[in-house]
Amino acid sequence: MSFVDVIAKKRDGRALLREDIEGFVTGVTAAEIPDYQAAALLMAIVIRGMSDQETAWLTEAMVRSGDRVDLSDIPGVKVGKHSTGGVGDKVSLVLAPLAAACGVVVPKMSGRGLGHTGGTLDKLESIPGYRTDLTIDQFKDVLRRVGTSIIGPTAALAPADRRLYALRDVTATVSSVPLIAASVMSKKLAEGGDALVLDVKCGRGAFMTSPADARELARRLVAIGAHGGLRTEALVTAMDSPLGRAVGNAVEIVECLETLKGRGPADLVTLAVTLAARMLVLGGRAGEADAEAGARRALASGAALDKMRALIDAHGGDSRVVDDYTRLPQATRRSAVPAPAAGFVEAIHADLVGRASMALGAGRRRIDDPIDRGAGVLVLKKPGEPVAAGETVLELLFNDDRGLAQASALAREAIQVADAPPALPPLVLGRVA
Amino acid sequence: MSFVDVIAKKRDGRALLREDIEGFVTGVTAAEIPDYQAAALLMAIVIRGMSDQETAWLTEAMVRSGDRVDLSDIPGVKVGKHSTGGVGDKVSLVLAPLAAACGVVVPKMSGRGLGHTGGTLDKLESIPGYRTDLTIDQFKDVLRRVGTSIIGPTAALAPADRRLYALRDVTATVSSVPLIAASVMSKKLAEGGDALVLDVKCGRGAFMTSPADARELARRLVAIGAHGGLRTEALVTAMDSPLGRAVGNAVEIVECLETLKGRGPADLVTLAVTLAARMLVLGGRAGEADAEAGARRALASGAALDKMRALIDAHGGDSRVVDDYTRLPQATRRSAVPAPAAGFVEAIHADLVGRASMALGAGRRRIDDPIDRGAGVLVLKKPGEPVAAGETVLELLFNDDRGLAQASALAREAIQVADAPPALPPLVLGRVA
């Protein structure tokens, strides 16, 4: 069957065969299928959808397009974690040392930020000297010594996903649950862990804005994990307002360190502990009943903070930042965004805060834009908190004021104040296992 | 709005604005929009569809992507004709001289054959010396002197259509009523006529296989014509079996000449006279009541045959072919395809006969394949005619036997014989004005 016939099949809403999908992925990887044919098929997939079986085959083929990390010679149960991306979502940076402190091995390949959501790599690279470009051997060595390592994606892992993602980005074919699921899981399967905990974000600041879509994505991700022999669980969590009080890069590192010192904001602590507990259960390090308590103990005892220090050291970073935040990139200027009226903060729209942070230089519009690791936004008043008229709700941190006017407008628009205290939705909206 | 946002709009099933469509067409013409983005939008259009308004804007933009022929300085009403393509569809070659003999000016730009359907240009080029590559000035000169001229498409007319068609061909985005309608009508509007009669083919040998789809295409074509100020009518006609008894190139020229001499097969004569009558009415040369009679008279009197001779002469062709068919390319070998049983021919599947003819060398799979103008298929027994077992139903004409086995198998499969005379559907299935 010619590739045009494969495109026509999906165009007409019919299911693709395993060989169709494998031919697509190997053809794209080898650059034998021209971009215009790949784009036509991607659009047909976005509109017509793919079954769980087709999605599993796609994921499998993308994993096979490159190498797969072999972690079998590292003792312990390896449990990965992945978030679909949010604003102020620094959970991995608390969770990885926390779960490692509880005896789970946490291998993690993270991505860079794009658009209004930040990336774990960009935040980590705020720490002077921290190297995210370790070889697989160095990665495994850190995992053995520290119990966790966080690096960037290597070019050898799921190269088909990289090529397809670049094409999807410029052809309006990103928004597809099966394509997103296959992209995420191909990388996670290639990472070589034994189990995986997923944080599927849902709300204004997330890719999935409706709970139904987020649950469907969670269900797909878990199904692909099961198909690929990876024990996978997903939590669906709220992303309507930024997580914690810091949005940016260095400011998020500070908030993580504060959290590891027991002074974290309630939502970040809750989410980190909840996810850590799932990792402990999947990793066989705790039972359902005592997992959360175990995680809280590792936070309170300073064991997780010690792991963070060891993680930074092992990656060549300056771990003195743990005790001296002035060693991190700073913002030289600040601008207050006041409450428009007295009352209670009803909402801090995460997407707008993310865009404000990007306008200040903390994020990137295109993958090769430079970023300012000192810039960002602080959330001084979270949803539910009372405010006086004119009281500062958001604080903009910046070094370059080119984006200030835009950021201020976005930040103002992000703030909703009401007369009465709002009903706040739960942080964890559901679990798929 | 970025072009990715335009793609996303159609992906989500929303209507495009005039400026979106114009940006698409000018971007494609100037090669400023990359093929992968154009392919993604085309696939979204194929699946989500386009309104009449969007289709009219697309057509308009494609017309404006190139030149428009100005025929205003040629006296008389100029009435074009276009067929959506069938097997043995040589109607234009009878109709153009016939309508011209009745006083209508018939400017015609024809295409080449592709796949199982033949092309008027390929048939005309069977005539030694006939030039299809006239300049627009030469074309107009022939129209003035003869009343009709049939040439190939010029590169300056609707270049966007050519670029889009090439991309659609390799991305499974051909099968879309609005895209087909815009493609046909952009070329017809650029041709500069005053009115247009369309022959929308319907059945196994046509692009539209169901009457509902064919009617919808006819409706779209007529609507675009009206929107563009071109008086347009469409007949929906049957294309289940080949039209006439000849399929190929030189053999179809012979059949046309026989028809112009009053010895044509009934279906071809009926269709040519019916379409000619519509052209006379649209061109103001006859009333509804006497148009068909006028066309039949021009056929019987030899006036149409004289026009054919003049047309060939004016294009540099050897008009002695009119009286000496041996001057046309010949097939040196023949192979009979017999009836599988005694009875009545129930069907001669046009698509399979077209593919058999292509296998013998008379058609092309790809646009730059060479063709054998002597090869083809003769239909000795038409649907409804009685046959004895083993009697020849189809005759394969060829010079090169490389495709003979395939052609024979297709031809055998094309023949359906029944015990009783079949109920034959009407030739003209409907009219849209």
Side-chain angles (χ1 to χ4, degrees):
Chain A
M1 179 171 264
S2 82
F3 191 63
V4 175
D5 295 326
V6 172
I7 301 172
K9 199 189 272 190
K10 184 48 73 181
R11 175 197 70 201
D12 298 339
R14 286 180 288 140
L16 301 181
L17 301 178
R18 184 177 197 146
E19 67 203 53
D20 298 335
I21 291 172
E22 284 176 355
F24 172 51
V25 172
T26 56
V28 161
T29 309
E32 283 162 5
I33 289 176
D35 281 349
Y36 51 82
Q37 291 190 328
L41 180 59
L42 288 168
M43 182 56 81
I45 289 173
V46 169
I47 302 178
R48 297 299 196 186
M50 287 209 298
S51 69
D52 282 3
Q53 179 62 78
E54 289 173 284
T55 311
W57 285 332
L58 175 60
T59 310
E60 220 175 76
M62 294 208 293
V63 171
R64 271 207 304 273
S65 73
D67 297 341
R68 195 163 177 167
V69 180
D70 181 3
L71 299 178
S72 61
D73 55 344
I74 294 176
V77 183
K78 278 73 72 178
V79 185
K81 182 261 176 180
H82 180 81
S83 159
T84 59
V87 177
D89 181 7
K90 71 244 352 141
V91 173
S92 291
L93 295 167
V94 175
L95 186 59
L98 175 54
C102 299
V104 166
V105 179
V106 186
K108 180 135 182 56
M109 291 187 191
S110 289
R112 299 201 177 275
L114 190 60
H116 71 273
T117 61
T120 298
L121 280 197
D122 295 316
K123 296 169 193 173
L124 268 177
E125 287 174 352
S126 310
I127 299 169
Y130 189 104
R131 287 188 48 202
T132 57
D133 60 345
L134 303 194
T135 65
I136 294 299
D137 283 343
Q138 291 170 323
F139 176 60
K140 289 172 66 172
D141 180 55
V142 175
L143 283 177
R144 252 186 224 101
R145 290 190 291 123
V146 181
T148 183
S149 176
I150 307 179
I151 62 172
T154 79
L157 261 55
D161 175 64
R162 224 173 7 266
R163 240 181 91 83
L164 285 178
Y165 191 84
L167 188 58
R168 287 167 60 202
D169 194 35
V170 292
T171 54
T173 51
V174 169
S175 62
S176 152
V177 167
L179 290 179
I180 293 168
S183 172
V184 166
M185 294 305 290
S186 66
K187 286 175 287 193
K188 292 294 138 184
L189 284 164
E191 241 176 57
D194 304 305
L196 175 66
V197 173
L198 293 159
D199 183 3
V200 177
K201 297 291 189 192
C202 171
R204 282 192 60 136
F207 197 80
M208 296 291 151
T209 53
S210 84
D213 287 350
R215 263 195 304 274
E216 169 61 9
L217 176 58
R219 190 192 66 70
R220 291 271 197 166
L221 292 164
V222 169
I224 298 171
H227 187 275
L230 184 67
R231 294 197 301 280
T232 306
E233 270 192 32
L235 296 186
V236 177
T237 71
M239 181 34 71
D240 295 299
S241 62
L243 191 68
R245 294 187 182 272
V247 176
N249 295 284
V251 287
E252 293 201 35
I253 293 291
V254 171
E255 188 168 62
C256 289
L257 294 169
E258 286 292 294
T259 302
L260 290 165
K261 291 170 185 175
R263 301 192 289 258
D267 56 351
L268 175 58
V269 172
T270 300
L271 192 51
V273 166
T274 306
L275 287 165
R278 298 320 307 161
M279 292 174 77
L280 299 191
V281 170
L282 280 181
R285 287 287 167 174
E288 294 283 348
D290 56 355
E292 283 201 18
R296 285 195 189 274
R297 267 196 310 275
L299 214 46
S301 70
L305 183 67
D306 289 344
K307 277 288 173 200
M308 181 62 155
R309 228 185 282 267
L311 172 70
I312 296 172
D313 281 335
H315 281 258
D318 179 357
S319 62
R320 289 175 298 176
V321 299
V322 173
D323 303 302
D324 179 2
Y325 301 153
T326 65
R327 292 181 179 275
L328 291 166
Q330 304 292 315
T332 52
R333 298 166 66 188
R334 295 180 174 231
S335 171
V337 185
F344 293 85
V345 176
E346 189 177 35
I348 302 286
H349 294 314
D351 52 335
L352 299 174
V353 173
R355 286 167 59 197
S357 176
M358 183 165 67
L360 296 170
R364 52 172 78 79
R365 215 168 299 272
R366 303 192 59 86
I367 200 70
D368 48 2
D369 288 345
I371 65 173
D372 179 346
R373 291 198 166 74
V377 179
L378 293 180
V379 180
L380 304 189
K381 300 285 176 189
K382 300 263 289 176
E385 295 183 320
V387 281
E391 196 179 2
T392 302
V393 176
L394 297 174
E395 194 168 35
L396 309 181
L397 314 181
F398 58 101
N399 293 299
D400 180 331
D401 63 5
R402 271 180 299 186
L404 182 60
Q406 195 197 348
S408 296
L410 287 163
R412 254 172 244 276
E413 201 188 332
I415 302 167
Q416 300 282 319
V417 173
D419 289 339
L424 297 176
L427 186 61
V428 177
L429 303 170
R431 188 174 125 198
V432 178
Chain B
M1 178 172 264
S2 83
F3 191 63
V4 174
D5 294 327
V6 173
I7 302 173
K9 200 189 273 189
K10 184 49 73 181
R11 174 197 71 200
D12 297 341
R14 286 179 289 140
L16 300 182
L17 301 177
R18 184 177 197 147
E19 67 201 54
D20 298 334
I21 291 172
E22 283 176 356
F24 172 50
V25 172
T26 56
V28 162
T29 309
E32 282 162 7
I33 289 176
D35 282 348
Y36 51 81
Q37 290 189 328
L41 180 59
L42 288 168
M43 181 57 81
I45 289 172
V46 169
I47 301 179
R48 298 298 196 186
M50 286 209 299
S51 69
D52 282 2
Q53 180 61 81
E54 288 174 284
T55 311
W57 285 332
L58 175 61
T59 311
E60 219 174 77
M62 294 207 294
V63 171
R64 272 208 303 274
S65 73
D67 297 342
R68 195 163 176 166
V69 180
D70 181 4
L71 299 178
S72 61
D73 54 346
I74 294 177
V77 183
K78 278 73 72 177
V79 185
K81 181 261 175 179
H82 180 81
S83 159
T84 59
V87 177
D89 181 7
K90 72 249 343 146
V91 172
S92 291
L93 295 167
V94 175
L95 186 59
L98 175 54
C102 298
V104 166
V105 178
V106 186
K108 178 133 183 59
M109 292 187 189
S110 290
R112 300 202 176 275
L114 190 60
H116 72 273
T117 61
T120 299
L121 280 196
D122 295 317
K123 296 169 194 174
L124 268 176
E125 287 174 352
S126 308
I127 300 169
Y130 189 103
R131 286 187 50 202
T132 57
D133 61 345
L134 302 193
T135 64
I136 294 299
D137 283 342
Q138 292 170 323
F139 176 60
K140 289 172 67 171
D141 180 55
V142 175
L143 284 177
R144 253 186 224 100
R145 290 191 290 122
V146 180
T148 183
S149 175
I150 308 179
I151 62 171
T154 80
L157 261 54
D161 176 64
R162 226 176 1 269
R163 240 180 93 83
L164 285 178
Y165 192 84
L167 188 58
R168 288 167 59 204
D169 194 35
V170 293
T171 53
T173 51
V174 170
S175 62
S176 153
V177 167
L179 290 179
I180 293 168
S183 173
V184 166
M185 294 305 291
S186 66
K187 286 176 287 194
K188 292 294 137 184
L189 284 164
E191 241 176 57
D194 304 305
L196 175 65
V197 173
L198 293 159
D199 183 4
V200 177
K201 298 290 189 191
C202 171
R204 282 193 60 139
F207 197 80
M208 296 290 153
T209 53
S210 85
D213 287 350
R215 262 195 304 274
E216 170 61 9
L217 176 57
R219 189 192 66 70
R220 291 271 196 166
L221 292 165
V222 169
I224 298 171
H227 187 275
L230 185 66
R231 294 196 303 280
T232 307
E233 271 191 30
L235 296 185
V236 177
T237 72
M239 181 33 71
D240 295 300
S241 62
L243 191 66
R245 292 186 182 272
V247 176
N249 294 285
V251 288
E252 293 200 35
I253 293 291
V254 171
E255 188 167 60
C256 289
L257 293 169
E258 286 292 295
T259 303
L260 290 166
K261 291 171 185 174
R263 299 191 291 258
D267 56 350
L268 176 57
V269 172
T270 299
L271 192 52
V273 166
T274 307
L275 288 165
R278 298 320 307 162
M279 292 174 77
L280 299 191
V281 171
L282 280 181
R285 287 286 168 175
E288 294 283 349
D290 57 355
E292 281 201 20
R296 284 196 189 273
R297 269 197 308 276
L299 215 48
S301 70
L305 184 66
D306 289 344
K307 277 290 173 200
M308 182 63 155
R309 229 185 282 266
L311 173 70
I312 296 172
D313 280 335
H315 281 259
D318 180 355
S319 64
R320 289 174 298 176
V321 300
V322 172
D323 303 303
D324 180 0
Y325 301 154
T326 66
R327 292 181 179 274
L328 291 166
Q330 305 291 316
T332 52
R333 299 166 66 188
R334 294 180 174 233
S335 172
V337 185
F344 294 84
V345 176
E346 190 177 34
I348 303 286
H349 294 315
D351 52 333
L352 298 174
V353 173
R355 285 167 59 196
S357 176
M358 181 165 68
L360 296 170
R364 51 172 82 77
R365 214 169 298 273
R366 304 189 60 85
I367 199 70
D368 47 2
D369 288 345
I371 65 173
D372 179 346
R373 292 199 165 72
V377 179
L378 293 181
V379 181
L380 303 189
K381 300 286 176 188
K382 298 265 289 176
E385 294 183 321
V387 283
E391 195 178 2
T392 302
V393 176
L394 297 175
E395 195 168 33
L396 308 181
L397 313 182
F398 58 100
N399 293 299
D400 179 332
D401 62 7
R402 269 180 299 185
L404 182 60
Q406 196 198 348
S408 297
L410 288 163
R412 253 172 245 276
E413 201 187 332
I415 302 168
Q416 299 281 320
V417 173
D419 289 338
L424 297 177
L427 186 59
V428 177
L429 302 171
R431 188 174 125 200
V432 179

